[in-house]
């Protein structure tokens, strides 16, 4: 594996991860780019104890056309077209988002009155191009390519954790127009947050209060493996299951059998075993209704500076599609109250997904 750090015309970092050690990464970004915007501001909601990022500059970003590779900014550059990636080809490429919600480039912030505290949105947002093949998808990546993506995630997790003020690193993929994705090119994102996210805080609070024999996450995994009714797929080192109290119609959690805090802590063997398991679960999603499943795939990693011994790296994958032409929308109960109502029984969802995995 070869890792090459370079810079785009406006100073943003671009990092290539190549399988070949002799890949030439000397291409230069010659586009005339505007200077980078300053970071968002964070405002504290004293009622929910949550930070909200006010990323006003994101409203001005250009909405990029969907569809063809002819206009895609994530495809490699060519003689006639310059994209975000100056090289004519790449394996995996990671670059700083042009319109980030969090950034180390911040201005000054003023008191806004009320009970809200305000501070700069220190952090970083990156885009991960999973492949140079515009028409591919994560589910179609080879095991070797998934390994390279995992290498990139682990590298970015370790490096972004080192930024002063960063408290949590989140690697994720949003897929499908239904999720609001404007770019068809297979890609994900990484957010380095200046706070511990609400869902992680909830889970770690529960883990701290748990009185069971082991770690809460480990005991949940062990109980799901013992019950078996919601297990979708598994191997020696990983298990994928629908959680007993799933919130989404089709939701799968993927856990390594060994408790580790983050992606950087996974062994070679664990990374190798994850690749085929995860892509088979993604293909099972697409096989459910014979149409592309919109999904969110979210790596839950330990915070950078606290509760690392309590946390348990795992992936939470879910779709908002509940039937061939029906989507689950977050309506009053979910949006206003955070109270979920799920139309699909987890055991039924697991059975359907398991049948798809078995058919492969
Ligand atoms: Zn593309």
């Amino acid at each position: 594996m070869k890792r090459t750090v370079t810079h785009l015309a406006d100073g943003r970092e671009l990092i290539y991860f190549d399988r070949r050690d002799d890949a030439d990464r000397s291409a230069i970004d010659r586009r005339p780019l505007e200077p980078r915007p300053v970071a968002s501001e964070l405002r504290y909601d004293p009622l929910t104890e949550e930070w909200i990022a006010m990323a006003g500059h994101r409203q001005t970003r250009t909405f990029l056309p969907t569809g063809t590779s002819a206009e895609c900014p994530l495809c490699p550059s060519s003689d006639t077209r310059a994209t975000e990636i100056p090289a004519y080809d790449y394996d995996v490429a990671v670059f700083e988002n042009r319109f980030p919600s969090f950034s180390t480039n911040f201005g000054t912030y003023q008191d806004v009155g009320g009970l809200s505290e305000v501070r700069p949105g220190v952090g970083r947002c990156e885009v991960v191009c999973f492949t140079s093949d515009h028409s591919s998808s994560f589910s179609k990546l080879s095991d070797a390519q998934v390994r390279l993506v995992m290498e990139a995630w682990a590298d970015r997790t370790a490096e972004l954790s080192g930024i002063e003020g960063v408290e949590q690193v989140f690697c994720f993929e949003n897929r499908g127009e239904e999720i609001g994705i404007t770019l068809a090119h297979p890609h994900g994102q990484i957010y380095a947050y200046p706070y511990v996210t609400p869902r992680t805080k909830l889970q770690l609070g529960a883990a701290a209060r748990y009185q069971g024999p082991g770690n809460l996450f480990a005991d949940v995994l062990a109980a799901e493996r013992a019950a078996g009714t919601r297990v979708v797929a598994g191997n020696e080192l990983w298990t994928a299951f629908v959680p007993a109290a799933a919130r989404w119609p089709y939701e799968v959690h993927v856990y390594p059998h060994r408790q580790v805090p983050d992606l950087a802590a996974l062994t070679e063997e664990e990374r190798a075993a994850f690749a085929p398991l995860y892509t088979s679960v993604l293909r099972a999603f697409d096989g459910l209704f014979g149409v592309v499943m919109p999904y969110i795939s979210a790596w839950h990693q330990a915070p950078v500076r606290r509760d690392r011994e309590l946390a348990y790296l795992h992936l939470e994958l879910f779709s908002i599609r509940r039937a061939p032409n029906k989507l689950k929308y977050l309506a009053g109960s979910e949006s206003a109250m955070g109270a979920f109502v799920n139309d699909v029984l987890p055991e039924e969802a697991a059975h359907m997904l398991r049948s798809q995995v078995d058919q492969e």
Side-chain angles (χ1 to χ4, degrees):
M1 206 272 294
K2 183 187 178 191
R3 176 186 186 276
T4 312
V5 182
T6 167
H7 289 87
L8 297 171
D10 57 3
R12 286 176 294 140
E13 248 181 0
L14 164 67
I15 305 137
Y16 294 101
F17 295 87
D18 286 293
R19 277 199 295 275
R20 288 166 45 149
D21 286 335
D22 61 350
D24 176 11
R25 295 304 171 210
S26 59
I28 291 167
D29 181 17
R30 301 187 191 281
R31 297 170 299 169
L33 295 180
E34 301 271 314
R36 288 188 279 175
V38 294
S40 61
E41 68 178 38
L42 291 183
R43 298 190 182 189
Y44 190 69
D45 179 350
L47 295 179
T48 57
E49 302 181 310
E50 288 174 13
W51 289 99
I52 312 292
M54 301 292 160
H57 62 79
R58 283 168 60 89
Q59 298 298 342
T60 60
R61 71 183 158 161
T62 39
F63 272 93
L64 300 152
T66 40
T68 66
S69 55
E71 294 170 286
C72 175
L74 308 186
C75 276
S77 291
S78 68
D79 285 337
T80 53
R81 200 169 70 89
T83 70
E84 289 281 54
I85 295 145
Y88 284 11
D89 194 17
Y90 63 83
D91 287 338
V92 170
V94 178
F95 60 87
E96 285 183 76
N97 196 316
R98 200 154 160 191
F99 301 99
S101 300
F102 306 100
S103 157
T104 48
N105 177 30
F106 51 85
T108 51
Y109 296 90
Q110 287 165 359
D111 182 13
V112 293
L115 272 187
S116 186
E117 186 188 333
V118 180
R119 63 183 175 113
V122 176
R124 186 146 142 161
C125 294
E126 298 184 337
V127 175
V128 184
C129 300
F130 297 142
T131 165
S132 60
D133 181 357
H134 183 86
S135 57
S136 187
S137 66
F138 204 111
S139 65
K140 293 179 190 158
L141 298 183
S142 68
D143 292 348
Q145 187 71 13
V146 175
R147 291 279 303 278
L148 194 60
V149 171
M150 295 186 83
E151 197 76 53
W153 281 333
D155 176 280
R156 302 321 299 148
T157 296
E159 184 154 313
L160 298 181
S161 294
I163 296 176
E164 196 181 335
V166 165
E167 296 294 336
Q168 192 178 5
V169 179
F170 176 41
C171 304
F172 64 106
E173 179 189 5
N174 299 328
R175 185 221 194 181
E177 283 172 42
E178 297 89 340
I179 303 275
I181 282 300
T182 51
L183 289 172
H185 196 112
H187 73 287
Q189 300 185 64
I190 302 176
Y191 275 22
Y193 296 102
Y195 51 81
V196 177
T197 59
R199 189 161 166 79
T200 300
K201 257 210 259 185
L202 272 177
Q203 292 187 347
L204 293 177
R209 290 187 298 275
Y210 179 61
Q211 300 288 321
N215 169 279
L216 172 60
F217 299 95
D219 283 3
V220 165
L221 171 65
E224 289 296 342
R225 291 179 73 196
T229 46
R230 287 175 297 272
V231 171
V232 170
N235 57 35
E236 296 257 295
L237 301 176
W238 296 81
T239 296
F241 60 91
V242 179
R247 295 181 303 164
W248 301 92
Y250 295 94
E251 176 172 344
V252 173
H253 294 186
V254 188
Y255 277 61
H257 294 171
R258 186 174 68 94
Q259 185 186 357
V260 294
D262 57 26
L263 287 154
L266 290 174
T267 62
E268 281 298 308
E269 292 71 27
E270 284 163 336
R271 291 177 200 191
F274 173 79
L277 179 85
Y278 179 54
T279 50
S280 75
V281 171
L282 290 180
R283 288 191 297 273
F285 261 48
D286 278 346
L288 275 180
F289 304 119
V291 289
V292 167
M293 279 291 258
Y295 66 73
I296 291 171
S297 176
W299 279 110
H300 286 250
Q301 308 202 81
V304 173
R305 295 163 221 284
R306 51 175 260 205
D307 297 330
R308 290 183 64 80
E309 67 301 329
L310 266 182
Y312 195 123
L313 171 76
H314 64 282
L315 181 135
E316 297 190 4
L317 167 73
F318 59 89
S319 180
I320 57 168
R321 189 183 294 290
R322 61 188 173 91
N325 41 31
K326 282 189 189 143
L327 299 179
K328 161 87 180 167
Y329 287 106
L330 294 192
S333 185
E334 290 88 356
S335 293
M337 290 292 143
F340 274 72
V341 179
N342 186 354
D343 307 305
V344 181
L345 263 188
E347 293 73 27
E348 178 61 16
H351 174 73
M352 290 171 69
L353 288 164
R354 197 163 48 233
S355 313
Q356 291 294 327
V357 170
D358 291 345
Q359 276 171 32
E360 289 209 332

